[in-house]
Amino acid sequence: MTITSMLAAAAASRPEHCFLRTAEGELTYRETQNRVRSIAAGLARLGIGPGSAVVLIMRNSGDQVVVWFALARLGALHIPLNTGLVGRQLEHALRIAAPVMVIADHDLLRPIAATVNAAAPGATSLVRGAPTDTSASRLEDLIAGEPADTRPHAADELDVATLLFTSGTTGASKACELSHRYLARQGEIHARRFALQADDVLYCPFPLNHIDAATLTVVAALAIGATAALGERFSTSRYWDEVRRFDASVINFMGATLTMLWKQPASPSDIDHRVRLAWGVPMPDWQDAWESRFGFPLFQVYGLTDAGVPVYDPIDGTQRRGTCGRVIDEYEVRIGPGQEILVRGRESGLTMNGYHGIPDATDEAIDVDGWVHTGDRGRLDPDGSLTFLGRSTESIRRRGENISAHEVENAGLEHPDVVEVAAVGIPSELTEEDVKIFAVLRRGANLTASELYAHYRTVAPRHLAPRYITFLDQLPKTPTEKIEKFRLAADECPTWDSEARQ
C-alpha cells in the first residue's frame, strides 16, 4: 500500500492512458513510470537513499510529481514547500526539514539562494529549467537517463514518506509526518467516496504541497487509473478556460474560490464544460443556485492534513444541507471539551504520525488513545453528520460573548458586492476584543463601509456587526487560498470605525 506499488500496477494495466496533464503537456502512466525510474536512479547516484530529506521548491508540473514518486521509490523523505515562502518563513521550514538536497525551479531558487544556503548548509541543489550551459546540476539531465531496473526500496507502509507543512495562518507552520499508507489510502478512499471513474479528469489549481492536489487529486486519479490535471495556480479569469482545455470532469474548490467564480457575470458558457461534480470547503448558502447555473452538484468534505479526511457528503441524494457530511467507516469522530472535533482512524496510517521535530506539539495534538485534536469546533449529530462551527483559535471575545469569526465572515458574504471577508479580534479599550473585518469587493463595486455595516445590522445579530471595517484589494493568503490572519491582526491600514460615527 504505497504510491510506488500503485504506479507500477497502473503502468502495467493502463500504460498508454494519460496520468498527468499540465500546461506543459501530458504524461502517460508508462511515461511516468519510466521517468520515475530514471530520476530515482540519478538521485541514487547523487547519494539520495532511504531517509534522505529532500526539499522541493517547484511549481505544479509533471516533473514535480515524477520527482515526488522517485523519492518515494527510494524511501527518501519528500518535502514540498510553499513556493511563496521567503525570509524567516522559508528559513523556519528549511531548519525543520534539514534537507540534504533542494530541488527547485531555476527561477524560484535564484532569489532565495542565500536563505537556502544559510538555513540548509551543506544541502546540494538540483535545478529544473536551468540553461544547458550552466554549471548547476540539472533535473533534466536525470530525466534523460535510461530507466533503471533497480528494485524499489521496501518501505514499511507506516514509515514517514512526506512532510506537508500546515498553512501557518495563525503563526509558525508545523510539518506533518505522513506515512506511505496515508498517501495511498487517502487517494483510494477519496476516489471511492465520490465514485470516480477511469475516464475522469480530476482538475486542481492548488499547489502540490497541499493534500487537495497531492493525495486527493494525483493519488485519487492513480487509484483508479484516471487523469490528474494540475493548474499552476487558481485564477478567476482563466479558471473555466483551463477547465475546458484540460477536459476536466471533477473539480475542487477551497476558501473563497467558489465565491469568486460565482460573483462573475453569468454567461451562456457557464455550462460549456464536462464537469460532473465539484467537492471542497466551505459550502455556500447559494449551493442550489450554483448547481442550476453551472449544471453540476457541489459536495463538501471535512478534513485537514493532520487527520486526513474523515467526513464526506454522501452522493446518493441524502446530503444534509448545513453539515460537512457524514463520518465515513474508516474513521471515528467525537466532540471533546469546548466543542473540539477529535479524529481517530479505525486503521493505522489514516492520520499523521506526528509533527516533525516537535515532540511536545505532537503530544499535545495526539493523545494517548490516538485521538487527533484538530483545534476545530463542531457539532456531531446521532446520524454521524458533522457541522463545522469554526476554529477554536478564531473565537473573538467581545463584551462577554464568544463570537465565531466564521459567522461574522459568512454574514458579510451575503452582500452581493462582497467577494471575501476576514474577521479578527483586536484589543478593545473596554478590555476583551472588538471585531474588525477586512473585505474585498467585486470589481466595479462602490460599496461604502457604512453601507456594509448597515448590511450587517440587517442580516446578523448586533454582536456580530463589526466595529471596524477595512477594504483591501486582496487578502494575504497562502498558495492554498487560506487567509493569513496573523498578518491582518497586525494591519494598520485606514479603518472605518462604527462607534466613532454614532
Side-chain angles (χ1 to χ4, degrees):
M1 184 57 62
T2 67
I3 60 173
T4 299
S5 61
M6 293 170 74
L7 178 60
S13 63
R14 308 203 78 195
E16 304 309 320
H17 189 76
C18 175
F19 174 30
L20 301 171
R21 181 172 292 161
T22 68
E24 298 172 341
E26 298 185 350
L27 288 174
T28 66
Y29 278 97
R30 186 202 304 275
E31 290 169 336
T32 303
Q33 176 75 318
N34 287 341
R35 284 198 179 197
V36 166
R37 289 176 172 174
S38 295
I39 291 180
L43 290 173
R45 289 193 297 270
L46 295 174
I48 302 302
S52 299
V54 180
V55 157
L56 275 59
I57 304 175
M58 304 175 72
R59 299 183 185 88
N60 281 4
S61 65
D63 286 346
Q64 183 179 175
V65 176
V66 167
V67 170
W68 165 23
F69 278 61
L71 294 172
R73 185 178 181 85
L74 293 171
L77 190 57
H78 159 247
I79 314 169
L81 294 188
N82 173 346
T83 60
L85 292 181
V86 295
R88 290 183 180 178
Q89 289 179 309
L90 175 59
E91 182 179 345
H92 167 77
L94 289 169
R95 293 199 186 282
I96 289 177
V100 297
M101 177 178 283
V102 174
I103 303 177
D105 288 338
H106 179 61
D107 61 318
L108 293 180
L109 182 61
R110 189 167 53 248
I112 60 173
T115 302
V116 172
N117 291 336
T124 59
S125 295
L126 189 64
V127 294
R128 173 180 182 263
T132 55
D133 60 354
T134 184
S135 60
S137 298
R138 301 171 67 247
L139 179 63
E140 288 82 356
D141 295 335
L142 298 188
I143 295 174
E146 288 297 319
D149 292 326
T150 53
R151 297 175 67 86
H153 172 69
D156 185 295
E157 289 183 9
L158 298 181
D159 286 347
V160 179
T162 289
L163 299 185
L164 289 188
F165 280 80
T166 58
S167 58
T169 55
T170 57
S173 60
K174 299 182 286 291
C176 298
E177 296 180 338
L178 308 180
S179 68
H180 292 277
R181 185 173 181 81
Y182 176 105
L183 302 178
R185 285 292 281 145
Q186 295 299 332
E188 277 193 335
I189 292 169
H190 191 75
R192 177 162 47 82
R193 284 290 161 183
F194 284 135
L196 305 182
Q197 305 296 323
D199 64 347
D200 274 320
V201 177
L202 316 184
Y203 168 70
C204 182
F206 308 118
L208 283 160
N209 63 287
H210 190 273
I211 61 170
D212 276 28
T215 60
L216 306 182
T217 299
V218 172
V219 184
L222 175 62
I224 51 171
T227 300
L230 300 171
E232 185 175 310
R233 63 182 179 84
F234 175 81
S235 166
T236 305
S237 60
R238 297 196 306 269
Y239 187 84
W240 291 113
D241 288 339
E242 192 160 74
V243 164
R244 286 186 279 268
R245 185 168 67 253
F246 284 159
D247 193 33
S249 61
V250 176
I251 63 176
N252 82 283
F253 55 91
M254 187 189 303
T257 57
L258 208 63
T259 302
M260 292 176 180
L261 296 171
W262 171 248
K263 293 193 175 182
Q264 295 298 301
S267 164
S269 65
D270 287 344
I271 57 172
D272 179 18
H273 54 71
R274 192 171 73 94
V275 178
R276 65 181 184 84
L277 70 86
W279 62 271
V281 291
M283 188 68 74
D285 293 336
W286 28 263
Q287 177 181 354
D288 290 337
W290 170 283
E291 293 176 353
S292 176
R293 173 178 165 184
F294 292 100
F296 58 86
L298 303 176
F299 297 99
Q300 190 167 192
V301 301
Y302 170 77
L304 59 164
T305 306
D306 320 49
V309 187
V311 175
Y312 278 83
D313 254 338
I315 60 171
D316 61 2
T318 60
Q319 188 179 16
R320 273 190 59 189
R321 300 298 173 89
T323 74
C324 305
R326 296 196 191 105
V327 180
I328 61 175
D329 295 340
E330 292 83 359
Y331 282 92
E332 297 175 271
V333 173
R334 68 182 178 89
I335 305 300
Q339 299 181 297
E340 185 180 21
I341 300 171
L342 307 180
V343 176
R344 183 169 68 180
R346 293 185 184 274
E347 59 185 72
S348 299
L350 290 187
T351 63
M352 68 172 179
N353 289 14
Y355 293 124
H356 189 69
I358 318 178
D360 290 347
T362 298
D363 291 342
E364 186 177 341
I366 306 175
D367 65 27
V368 294
D369 295 319
W371 290 97
V372 178
H373 292 244
T374 66
D376 292 336
R377 294 168 44 252
R379 182 179 66 249
L380 188 64
D381 294 337
D383 67 351
S385 296
L386 180 71
T387 301
F388 176 75
L389 299 176
R391 291 287 296 168
S392 299
T393 54
E394 293 185 12
S395 179
I396 302 169
R397 184 73 175 176
R398 183 189 197 186
R399 300 178 191 178
E401 297 247 23
N402 285 319
I403 298 171
S404 166
H406 185 62
E407 289 184 281
V408 176
E409 290 158 0
N410 284 345
L413 287 172
E414 291 184 33
H415 195 289
D417 285 341
V418 177
V419 174
E420 292 184 272
V421 182
V424 299
I426 63 171
S428 169
E429 67 270 19
L430 301 176
T431 72
E432 298 187 318
E433 295 176 300
D434 277 312
V435 178
K436 181 176 182 178
I437 67 166
F438 297 81
V440 177
L441 303 182
R442 65 175 177 82
R443 185 176 299 177
N446 295 309
L447 184 69
T448 66
S450 59
E451 290 169 340
L452 180 53
Y453 180 78
H455 161 79
Y456 268 96
R457 294 300 307 275
T458 301
V459 303
R462 182 183 180 89
H463 69 274
L464 290 185
R467 174 175 176 178
Y468 301 107
I469 297 176
T470 296
F471 290 120
L472 296 177
D473 292 334
Q474 59 184 15
L475 300 177
K477 294 180 185 174
T478 71
T480 52
E481 296 298 313
K482 292 186 177 180
I483 300 166
E484 295 178 314
K485 290 196 173 181
F486 71 96
R487 296 185 186 279
L488 294 177
D491 183 90
E492 296 183 356
C493 290
T495 297
W496 182 87
D497 181 351
S498 65
E499 294 191 5
R501 285 154 176 78
Q502 291 180 357

